[in-house]
Amino acid sequence: EAQVTQNPRYLITVTGKKLTVTCSQNMNHEYMSWYRQDPGLGLRQIYYSMNVEVTDKGDVPEGYKVSRKEKRNFPLILESPSPNQTSLYFCASSPNRLAGGYNEQFFGPGTRLTVL
Amino acid sequence: GDSVTQMEGPVTLSEEAFLTINCTYTATGYPSLFWYVQYPGEGLQLLLKATKADDKGSNKGFEATYRKETTSFHLEKGSVQVSDSAVYFCALTEAPWDYKLSFGAGTTVTVRA
């Protein structure tokens, strides 16, 4: 089944304890992205990657890191989590766009993170 | 930059009622417009899209028309079901070939039997 998977689905941690949220897609997509969802703010992009070893900042990158060593994986790293990073996180992927066309973004099920 | 404003919820309806969720946008270029749906406990799914003025996107009984003159993309469904209970997000990309999605705040819809 074509899908985007995230782990863990739920995580409660404490301030300053490094954590990684994994994201993996089995659709051979080039583009991958991380979003955070907060009440009243919709989804905001944290980082994105156009392909292996190519990553760039989104709208809210502070406090996050990413890497793209393999096409299928795009982990999100919080080196020193803080309570304001408590949120619902989504990973998404999309194939390379054909000229003049739009390719749908496929979202993972989400990771609910609580930082105490 | 580009932005999306959608009506605040929550919206509660009875089954078979008519649903409208308003969405307006601000964009400097020629954006593509989308509605995504998030069912409880799941990720977002693309519901419908429109890439140019006067295009109508439709799926699962939902429709939305790209209105450039009013910068709007309102979502409608004529007869909702309990299974339509979800959070609906209006979103745009700056151009049809763009990847980055800018989302509205989301509207929670609850349909009662």
Side-chain angles (χ1 to χ4, degrees):
Chain A
E1 180 190 354
Q3 59 183 349
V4 179
T5 56
Q6 296 178 226
N7 282 293
R9 293 289 309 277
Y10 303 90
L11 179 60
I12 300 174
T13 189
V14 295
T15 298
K17 186 176 181 183
K18 180 179 178 180
L19 67 92
T20 299
V21 183
T22 64
C23 172
S24 182
Q25 50 92 5
N26 61 2
M27 296 169 281
N28 202 36
H29 287 169
E30 285 81 9
Y31 178 86
M32 298 185 75
S33 179
W34 276 103
Y35 296 86
R36 59 177 289 172
Q37 180 182 1
D38 300 291
L41 297 176
L43 278 77
R44 295 176 291 168
Q45 190 181 56
I46 303 170
Y47 269 94
Y48 65 95
S49 169
M50 298 294 286
N51 214 326
V52 175
E53 302 293 0
V54 180
T55 64
D56 209 344
K57 297 177 181 178
D59 295 321
V60 288
E62 295 77 20
Y64 304 94
K65 286 174 56 176
V66 293
S67 69
R68 187 92 182 272
K69 296 189 172 76
E70 305 166 283
K71 197 172 189 178
R72 63 185 293 125
N73 296 323
F74 190 45
L76 179 69
I77 302 155
L78 284 72
E79 295 269 2
S80 182
S82 62
N84 64 11
Q85 292 177 299
T86 293
S87 188
L88 180 57
Y89 291 87
F90 288 100
C91 181
S93 73
S94 180
N96 262 340
R97 215 172 294 285
L98 298 173
Y102 170 83
N103 288 304
E104 177 181 346
Q105 286 198 34
F106 295 82
F107 283 79
T111 295
R112 185 166 292 282
L113 172 66
T114 302
V115 183
L116 302 175
Chain B
D2 295 1
S3 66
V4 176
T5 303
Q6 62 182 102
M7 64 183 282
E8 295 188 18
V11 174
T12 302
L13 302 164
S14 298
E15 224 170 7
E16 299 184 4
F18 185 86
L19 171 66
T20 299
I21 304 176
N22 289 339
C23 171
T24 57
Y25 66 90
T26 303
T28 52
Y30 213 135
S32 290
L33 303 174
F34 309 90
W35 277 100
Y36 276 81
V37 60
Q38 182 181 27
Y39 298 106
E42 298 182 11
L44 281 72
Q45 304 172 24
L46 179 64
L47 181 59
L48 52 86
K49 68 179 188 288
T51 57
K52 60 183 187 296
D54 300 324
D55 264 3
K56 178 185 281 189
S58 61
N59 187 24
K60 298 183 180 181
F62 290 89
E63 292 183 341
T65 301
Y66 189 143
R67 301 283 187 204
K68 197 168 191 294
E69 64 277 13
T70 55
T71 63
S72 65
F73 193 55
H74 305 322
L75 182 68
E76 297 182 337
K77 185 173 185 181
S79 177
V80 294
Q81 305 300 314
V82 172
S83 57
D84 293 323
S85 298
V87 182
Y88 293 83
F89 292 94
C90 188
L92 65 79
T93 58
E94 290 185 3
W97 51 85
D98 201 1
Y99 285 99
K100 184 190 170 188
L101 285 162
S102 296
F103 286 90
T107 302
T108 300
V109 173
T110 302
V111 181
R112 294 184 173 166

